[in-house]
Amino acid sequence: MSSDIAIEMKNVWKKYSKSATFHNSLREEVTKLFKPKHKYELKQDEFWVFKDFNLTVKKGESIGFYGPNGSGKSTILKLISKVTYPDKGEIIVNGKVAPLIEVGAGFHPDLTGRENILMNGAILGMSIKEIKRKERDIIAFSGIEKFIDMPVKKYSSGMYLRLAFSIAIHSDADIFLFDEILAVGDEEFKQRCYEKIRDLQLENKTLIVVSHDKTLLESITCKIINFSKSEQKILK
């Protein structure tokens, strides 16, 4: 992969099942190793999210994903951050990734906001020393100082978002993945998020932003990919 490429997805196929998924037994897993694999075959209730998908994102680019629910936008972010894996194809990521894919993801509900900063920061690859050094700035940016020692299970969705976004953007990641991160929260906090995103862009960070707000994407990204059930189109 070229040194100026941050993310490259080559001929990626991904399928999901509509039914509940259960873990196979050890015997079933061992048996599967010796059976021929038919990557293109679908079992009952399975469907392709996308087939033969390709994407190249250069370092420092800000890309927007726009389109209807169920078109695979969030799945791509999960593939890039290795939350899930492709059924076929290759994904190459050059740099540390900070995913903000779901509000509250990576948080333990019984831990306080302060304790979750340590845990979530570690998940993002930050050292304990680095988290401690940045803790005050993280809390200040989130704006929830009065509630930082409260268990996060008592947080509103907006408070979850504030803390999760603040932790992510204070990491030293090279690639930031934002999935509808500005759909929740008040206008004052959204404005601070926009300003922080612009700061990341000035630092030549790579951003992928998923949103149903086309106007937002036009204002903070250099390219928008419109996802539909049949194709992906470059809008900008």
Side-chain angles (χ1 to χ4, degrees):
M1 183 172 69
S2 174
S3 60
D4 67 336
I5 301 298
I7 302 165
E8 190 165 14
M9 302 179 71
K10 300 178 181 179
N11 310 115
V12 172
W13 294 57
K14 180 62 183 176
K15 62 185 176 183
Y16 281 135
S17 173
K18 298 177 184 177
S19 56
T21 302
F22 299 92
H23 294 291
N24 293 327
S25 66
L26 178 59
R27 176 180 292 180
E28 290 171 324
E29 290 293 341
V30 172
T31 302
K32 284 169 60 179
L33 293 175
F34 299 95
K35 288 184 177 181
K37 296 181 180 180
H38 303 289
K39 291 285 188 179
Y40 296 94
E41 291 184 2
L42 291 177
K43 297 179 182 178
Q44 186 177 4
D45 291 332
E46 289 184 336
F47 64 96
W48 290 112
V49 181
F50 40 74
K51 306 176 186 178
D52 209 25
F53 179 80
N54 293 278
L55 175 70
T56 300
V57 181
K58 294 182 179 180
K59 290 181 179 178
E61 273 193 317
S62 295
I63 307 297
F65 288 174
Y66 174 78
N69 291 331
S71 57
K73 307 183 301 299
S74 298
T75 297
I76 292 173
L77 301 194
K78 291 177 181 178
L79 288 166
I80 293 171
S81 56
K82 297 183 179 180
V83 173
T84 187
Y85 295 89
D87 293 285
K88 182 178 174 63
E90 183 180 15
I91 301 173
I92 304 171
V93 178
N94 186 10
K96 186 185 293 185
V97 179
L100 191 51
I101 297 175
E102 295 177 1
V103 174
F107 281 14
H108 192 293
D110 293 324
L111 298 180
T112 66
R114 193 184 304 275
E115 291 166 339
N116 271 289
I117 290 174
L118 284 169
M119 186 176 71
N120 202 254
I123 291 172
L124 291 176
M126 300 165 68
S127 67
I128 298 299
K129 184 177 180 180
E130 180 186 3
I131 297 169
K132 287 292 188 181
R133 177 167 51 83
K134 295 179 177 179
E135 183 183 88
R136 183 175 296 179
D137 291 337
I138 291 171
I139 295 171
F141 186 92
S142 72
I144 59 170
E145 295 95 329
K146 294 180 180 180
F147 309 100
I148 199 63
D149 292 309
M150 177 189 295
V152 299
K153 63 184 177 183
K154 298 181 180 180
Y155 282 13
S156 66
S157 57
M159 293 167 70
Y160 262 113
L161 171 71
R162 283 171 171 264
L163 188 57
F165 184 87
S166 187
I167 296 169
I169 55 93
H170 280 89
S171 73
D172 62 350
D174 307 293
I175 301 166
F176 292 82
L177 309 177
F178 299 129
D179 189 356
E180 292 290 353
I181 48 101
L182 301 178
V184 183
D186 56 49
E187 290 303 318
E188 182 270 337
F189 183 70
K190 287 181 181 179
Q191 188 57 44
R192 282 197 285 140
C193 291
Y194 299 152
E195 292 172 359
K196 190 60 183 181
I197 285 173
R198 293 189 179 95
D199 288 342
L200 294 174
Q201 291 168 330
L202 291 174
E203 295 171 11
N204 204 40
K205 302 294 187 179
T206 304
L207 278 64
I208 297 181
V209 183
V210 170
S211 179
H212 288 101
D213 187 340
K214 188 177 176 183
T215 301
L216 167 65
L217 293 177
E218 289 172 342
S219 68
I220 64 174
T221 64
C222 60
K223 183 193 299 181
I224 300 173
I225 301 177
N226 184 22
F227 285 74
S228 69
K229 291 296 184 181
S230 58
E231 59 182 336
Q232 292 81 40
K233 298 178 180 178
I234 305 297
L235 297 184
K236 179 182 175 184

